[in-house]
Structures are given as C-alpha cells and as structure tokens.
Amino acid sequence: MYAEEVAEMAGRIRDEDIALVRERTSIAEVISDTVTLKSAGGGNLKGLCPFHDEKSPSFNVSPARNVWYCFGCGAGGDAIKFLMDAEHLSFVESVERLAARAGIQLRYVEDDRAAPRTRPHQGQRQRLVAAHAAAVEFYRAQLTTAGARPAREFLAQRGFDRAAAERYGCGFAPDAWDLLTRHLRQQGFSHDELVTAGLSRPSRSGTLIDRFRRRLLWPIRDLTGDVIGFGARKLFDDDDGPKYLNTPETPIYKKSHVLYGIDQAKREIAKQGKVVVVEGYTDVMACHLAGVTTAVATCGTAFGSDHIGVLRRLLMDTDAVAGEIIFTFDGDAAGQKAALRAFEDDQRFVGRTFIAVSPDNMDPCELRLAKGDLAVRDLVARREPLVDFALRHVINRYDLDTVDGRVEAMRRAAPLVAKIKDREKRPEYVRKLAGDLGMEIEPVQRAVLAAANGQPAGEAAARARPGPAAPAVDSPQSMVEREALKLALQEPVLAGPMFDAVEAAEYRHPVHQVVRAAVAAAGGAATATGGAVWIEQVRDACDDLAAQALVGELAVEPLRIDGEPDPRYVSVTMARLQWGSVTGRIKDLKSKIQRINPVSNKDEYFALFGELLSLEQHARALREQAAGGL
Ligand SMILES: [Zn+2]
C-alpha cells in the first residue's frame, strides 16, 4: 500500500461496505487465526481468552450470531472489534484487513470537513507491515544476484534447496549502505516509518542507512502471516557484528512474543496438541521439511512466559487438557541449563514439558543433513519428560560407585522430586530415583519428604491441593462422571453396554472425555472382562498424561455405593451424568433464546424453541431414570 492510497484511507469507509464486510466475514475463521477454538455445543465455539490470562476456556464465539464474548473478562464484539483488540488495529485498519480477506473492494466517503490528511498512528501498523512486505520482496530478489553467492551456499550446505528458500522467503541484504532504504523511500515510505519499522537507522553522519548489510535474512512473521521483522545471519569473516542480528523492538515486533515459524506451524500445533521448540531458523526449516510440522523457534531471546502464553492459546492447554511442549537441545551446557530453568519457572508447565536431546549433540538441521528426515522425526519421538532429564542431569555429576557419591546425588536429586506438583507421580519418581541410584526406597523417600518439608509453608499448602490436571472433584457433575468411569474400569461386565451408550460429548470435563474416548478406543467397556489388563488397555489408549494418571486413580478409587453395584446403580449413574449435560444445554439455549428478537428472527426463534422443548422432554425422562429407586 502506497502513499496515495494511505491518504485516501484517512477518509471514511462507506457504511454499506462495512455492513458487507461484516456479512461476508466468518468470525470463526478470523478468530481461529490466533485462538484455537473447539466446539462448545449448540454450534458455538470456545477457546482460551486472548485478552485475559485464564486456564479454562471462557472465551466464546457464536458463528450464528457473528459475535464473540468472554465470560471471564467481559470483552466481546464482532470480527472488527476482535481485530482491533487482538492486533491493536484501528477500526479502519480492521475493516480493511477483513475486506481484503473477503475480496471486497471498499469505497471511501470524501470527508469535506477537511480532516487532517495525516493522522498520527492511524494505520501505523499497516504501514510498518507494508514496509516489511516490500523489504521481503527486495531481499528475495537480491538472493539471486552474484553478490549473494555466499548466502545461497550457506543454505545449500545446510540442505536447503531453492524451493525451501522460497517457502521461507529467505533473502539477502546486499553489500551496500542504503540500497533498501532508497528503494523503500521511492515507494513512498517516510524516513520515520523506516526507522520505526527497524529496517533503517540513522548513520553517524545523520543520513539514513540500511539496518542489515551482507547477511542472509529470514522474514519473521506473526500468527496471521504478516512479516514483522527479520533475523539476519552473518556470512563473511570480516563482518565483526554478532552471528545473528534481529529486528529491534518496534511497535509491531516484540521479541518476547515472537516465535519463528508459528505462521506455518500453528494449525498443526493446534491439531496435534504439541509444539516442538528448536533453537534457530535453520532448525525450524529442517524440522518442517523433515515432517516435524509443529516446530518453532524464539528469535534472539530465551523461551519465556510470553511465549508460553502464545502457545497455550494454540494448544488449548487448560487445567484439564494438557498440550505437550517439547524442547530440542543439541546437548551443550547452555541448552541443558535452559531446560532446567524451565523447571524453576512454572510447575504447571513442567508436567507437560519434554526434552529431546540429540545423542550426537547435533541440532535438528545438522541431524537432517547427516542422517536424513527420519532421524529428525526420531529425535522428537524419543523425547523424555523434563523431570527425568533433570534427575539424570543431577545424578550424572556424581560417582555412584561410592557410598558418598550416591548419598550426595540423592541429596541433590530429592528436592527435584519434592517439587513435582502432581502428587500421584511422586512415589513413581521416588522408586525410579532409588533404582537409578542403586539404593533402597526408604532413605530416598525420607530425603524427598525432608526436602518437601524444608519448603516454605505456602508451598506446602499449595502442594496439598489436588494436581492441576484433575478437574474439581467435588462438583456434582464431576463426581458422577468419575463414578461412570470407575464403573467402566472396575465393573465393565456389569456397566459395559449402558456405559458405551453414552457418548464422550455428554461428559463435561475434557479429561473425562479423554478417558471416555480411551475406553472406546480400547474396544469399549462391553467387550472387556476387567482386571489389570483392561486398565492397562485403557491407559495405553489415553493420548495425554493427565488422563493416564486419572485412569490409574479411578481404577482403584472405591465406588460410592455400599455393597455390590447392580444394574440399577449403573442406570442411575448414567442418567445423572446425562442429566447434568442436558440441563447445561437447556440453560445455554434459554439464554440464547432470550437474546434473540422473536420478531426480526422468527425462524431462528422457533427453531431454537423447538430444540428447547425436545431437550426438556429428554431431561424429564432422564430425571425419572436418575430417580430410579434412590
Ligand atoms: Zn477474557
């Protein structure tokens, strides 16, 4: 977008065009660019709110009504408002972004009250993004020139052909002081815009020069695919700058949030529920090309809590549903230190964190080059829980052939085990640690307890609460769902057919849904004969750790009935479970009906009303079944 158009943009967009943009925009698609949404029933969608920090989704999208709203923080609006809030765009910029997406040509009203031609900040983001888009084209073209040979060789030596370079938009900053700057000035970008974008900087003599010179460049994109900065690799020995240079902090480039490759990886991250964090641009490229399509890298900074926030929203990582974060390290001390630091930072996050260290101390790019795509996929598949990695790291520093060495290793490792928030996992790690050290379980257990008690009182209180993966055990719906799952695990012969007839969607808690789905994946409760083998089959069918732990727990938790369970108890339990989900749906439906104007939306009103009547009938039947003799 160039100067004349921008001046025109300052005019007002015609109202009917704004209405058309609203009508033609799929709100679910727009929001899905940055927030992973899943079904919330009744055609609605939900996800983790991007506007406040939350652990369970209260951010709702209603595609039918073209609105979004967050029960947690009260934010809400249409697609235009979403872009304004989420991307910090002005109203006009948001409408323009959506119009471009929907292929609508906007018309502007000339404002003859002589509004100032240039409004500060209006459209700034769009101008900076446009400058980057033009810079990407410029640098790409430079990559084919004679002077760029070292850049092409650098890529080729790392196993990247021309198609790969093009897919990632690689470019070359030429050996010149102000070639890009002059090119962009000719295209209408102002001195200030180029400085603000971080593409140019004033020289000592005061003239404007290019920020990047004689370097291989990777465009860095945001979640929506807009280029917001560059990473630049040194190519020449006489370049005395650092190995990597990045765009400085700008209004659109915040390095604490930026993840290289996120635009290409986001859909796979959401789909697979995992993300692979690598260390560099070439590692992201190598991983994607090798089939590890969920790889991203931080840009010139360590992985931090803002990055976790971005990823958690994509992973839908809630208290109940755990996404996996896998770090790859080339085995050097710095990488290992970074991994151990994650252990310090966030206990919630630790249970879902895995480490993949290449045995030959190669990064994914080197590994792909030396051993091929399969080796890269293997590296990620062989990941190890962070806790295991940290314990091994500590133990390896001591000579376990001596008593002193074993005791010292135990003293150092015990605090790590004591820190594991997920209490059910601790005995398992005590046993593992004892085994690794070649010691009896009791002294290790005592050391862990001592370490746990040595922590401040607040920590001890926090540890007394149930693990983060489990939903509140004491809500009536949660209790009845647990009871149903216990019946399927402990009494499959009795409960099988009735249990199998109630679908996973009827369960309110995501982790319960995962276990319910695992029962189905293991062949269904009706086909099972029970016992340890059955429990193992269900556990193996769970694709997340929290659900696996829950299966172990529910397999042994006593049923809430005195004496032996009978078919009536199963029937009542399953009816109460469905009753909870049906009444929830009725409540949602009633509130939806209240918000509809029955005059202007007659068809929708009657459709919803019909749905409500049949749900209420279903609820009455369930209530009778649930009352069955209790
Ligand atoms: Zn919110």
Side-chain angles (χ1 to χ4, degrees):
M1 174 154 320
Y2 308 129
E4 314 84 73
E5 293 172 64
V6 169
E8 200 175 273
M9 192 182 80
R12 203 157 54 81
I13 301 169
R14 290 166 64 146
D15 288 344
E16 58 264 43
D17 287 3
I18 295 173
L20 189 65
V21 166
R22 279 205 180 93
E23 192 186 306
R24 296 255 187 96
T25 293
S26 155
I27 193 162
E29 267 177 36
V30 170
I31 294 177
S32 295
D33 273 346
T34 46
V35 179
T36 296
L37 297 172
K38 66 175 208 172
S39 170
N44 289 350
L45 302 161
K46 64 182 175 180
L48 291 178
C49 180
F51 307 115
H52 84 279
D53 191 32
E54 65 174 0
K55 288 159 188 164
S56 59
S58 45
F59 178 83
N60 285 262
V61 179
S62 165
R65 300 175 64 234
N66 243 329
V67 296
W68 58 276
Y69 46 93
C70 174
F71 291 125
C73 66
D78 59 5
I80 299 170
K81 182 72 166 41
F82 181 81
L83 281 189
M84 290 170 70
D85 292 352
E87 310 269 334
H88 309 291
L89 302 181
S90 67
F91 179 82
V92 171
E93 286 172 329
S94 299
V95 174
E96 286 176 337
R97 179 91 76 94
L98 294 173
R101 208 180 155 117
I104 295 167
Q105 182 71 50
L106 293 176
R107 293 160 301 171
Y108 296 82
V109 183
E110 280 309 316
D111 193 347
D112 38 32
R113 280 168 300 171
R117 290 300 266 178
T118 51
R119 300 181 204 171
H121 293 286
Q122 167 113 21
Q124 186 196 47
R125 185 199 146 87
Q126 200 162 20
R127 291 291 291 162
L128 302 187
V129 166
H132 275 91
V136 170
E137 285 318 309
F138 173 85
Y139 287 139
R140 270 165 95 136
Q142 289 292 324
L143 189 61
T144 61
T145 59
R149 201 169 136 193
R152 294 195 298 272
E153 281 172 1
F154 179 96
L155 289 168
Q157 280 160 10
R158 278 155 188 78
F160 302 121
D161 59 14
R162 195 176 174 147
E166 270 167 21
R167 175 172 161 191
Y168 291 86
C170 295
F172 177 68
D175 185 6
W177 286 107
D178 62 355
L179 217 49
L180 174 79
T181 301
R182 278 189 283 131
H183 175 73
L184 294 182
R185 293 284 280 128
Q186 268 166 19
Q187 295 209 354
F189 293 99
S190 72
H191 178 287
D192 287 351
E193 282 171 341
L194 296 183
V195 173
T196 307
L199 292 166
S200 307
R201 60 190 173 90
S203 70
R204 267 179 224 124
S205 68
T207 57
L208 205 56
I209 57 172
D210 299 350
R211 175 170 299 273
F212 302 115
R213 282 184 59 228
R214 304 168 79 210
R215 283 182 174 245
L216 173 59
L217 298 185
W218 284 269
I220 299 169
R221 296 169 191 273
D222 67 7
L223 270 166
T224 68
D226 285 339
V227 175
I228 52 173
F230 287 97
R233 172 72 161 76
K234 171 165 137 171
L235 293 170
F236 299 94
D237 290 338
D238 61 349
D239 180 341
D240 46 14
K243 193 158 137 193
Y244 282 96
L245 263 179
N246 288 307
T247 295
E249 294 289 294
T250 75
I252 60 172
Y253 183 91
K254 307 269 177 253
K255 71 177 174 190
S256 63
H257 287 77
V258 169
L259 288 165
Y260 179 71
I262 192 93
D263 55 305
Q264 298 208 26
K266 67 178 176 181
R267 289 198 197 286
E268 287 297 316
I269 291 171
K271 204 167 100 190
Q272 299 182 25
K274 64 170 91 150
V275 58
V276 176
V277 181
V278 298
E279 292 187 279
Y281 307 111
T282 54
D283 295 330
V284 170
M285 291 173 72
C287 279
H288 289 186
L289 294 170
V292 179
T293 48
T294 57
V296 298
T298 61
C299 301
T301 182
F303 189 81
S305 57
D306 289 337
H307 296 119
I308 294 178
V310 172
L311 291 175
R312 278 188 53 224
R313 280 191 281 280
L314 283 179
L315 288 167
M316 268 287 284
D317 187 30
T318 64
D319 272 352
V321 180
E324 244 182 54
I325 303 192
I326 303 162
F327 289 93
T328 66
F329 292 112
D330 56 13
D332 68 8
Q336 301 199 352
K337 230 176 227 161
L340 294 173
R341 207 169 39 228
F343 203 98
E344 301 297 317
D345 280 357
D346 190 344
Q347 277 292 310
R348 260 177 51 76
F349 170 63
V350 162
R352 299 110 192 242
T353 305
F354 295 78
I355 304 290
V357 179
S358 167
D360 306 309
N361 286 357
M362 287 190 277
D363 60 35
C365 180
E366 292 162 343
L367 194 61
R368 173 170 177 260
L369 206 56
K371 299 189 176 169
D373 291 351
L374 191 60
V376 178
R377 295 203 295 272
D378 270 356
L379 166 70
V380 174
R382 278 200 318 265
R383 67 198 181 276
E384 171 183 36
L386 174 60
V387 182
D388 297 48
F389 172 85
L391 285 176
R392 201 158 40 77
H393 185 83
V394 167
I395 293 173
N396 281 349
R397 292 203 303 248
Y398 299 94
D399 178 6
L400 300 182
D401 290 338
T402 69
V403 175
D404 283 353
R406 288 197 292 274
V407 170
E408 195 53 31
M410 177 185 77
R411 277 196 194 129
R412 297 295 173 134
L416 294 183
V417 177
K419 270 186 165 184
I420 298 170
K421 210 169 178 180
D422 206 342
R423 278 186 311 156
E424 297 96 79
K425 284 199 182 142
R426 255 196 251 161
E428 190 187 313
Y429 277 104
V430 167
R431 273 196 301 279
K432 185 181 176 336
L433 179 58
D436 291 347
L437 293 170
M439 296 174 77
E440 297 292 323
I441 289 178
E442 284 71 28
V444 176
Q445 180 125 45
R446 276 199 305 277
V448 170
L449 271 176
N453 291 336
Q455 285 170 351
E459 288 263 318
R463 274 184 289 108
R465 279 190 248 117
V473 182
D474 47 355
S475 86
Q477 180 67 16
S478 184
M479 263 162 54
V480 76
E481 289 181 10
R482 287 171 72 93
E483 200 65 4
L485 295 170
K486 273 149 58 177
L487 283 166
L489 291 167
Q490 299 176 21
E491 304 283 347
V493 177
L494 168 72
M498 280 189 265
F499 177 87
D500 289 347
V502 178
E503 285 176 14
E506 301 284 327
Y507 290 72
R508 193 78 70 79
H509 293 286
V511 70
H512 295 160
Q513 289 176 355
V514 174
V515 176
R516 168 64 185 83
V519 169
T527 63
T529 51
V533 175
W534 167 236
I535 305 296
E536 276 309 304
Q537 283 169 341
V538 176
R539 203 203 314 254
D540 287 349
C542 291
D543 47 14
D544 96 52
L545 292 172
Q548 284 178 3
L550 185 63
V551 169
E553 193 180 314
L554 296 178
V556 297
E557 191 176 291
L559 290 165
R560 295 174 172 272
I561 179 177
D562 296 327
E564 290 298 305
D566 57 9
R568 199 174 58 186
Y569 183 67
V570 179
S571 156
V572 167
T573 302
M574 298 318 294
R576 285 179 55 207
L577 190 155
Q578 294 175 81
W579 156 259
S581 115
V582 168
T583 48
R585 266 151 59 205
I586 288 175
K587 219 168 105 192
D588 293 347
L589 206 51
K590 279 185 175 162
S591 97
K592 196 169 167 187
I593 289 171
Q594 265 177 10
R595 282 171 283 155
I596 291 184
N597 181 338
V599 179
S600 57
N601 291 308
K602 202 170 66 186
D603 291 347
E604 193 186 0
Y605 187 80
F606 283 124
L608 291 175
F609 212 77
E611 204 181 314
L612 178 65
L613 290 178
S614 77
L615 268 181
E616 282 179 340
Q617 198 174 1
H618 185 37
R620 272 196 299 276
L622 285 169
R623 196 168 49 202
E624 278 168 29
Q625 190 186 336
L630 271 192

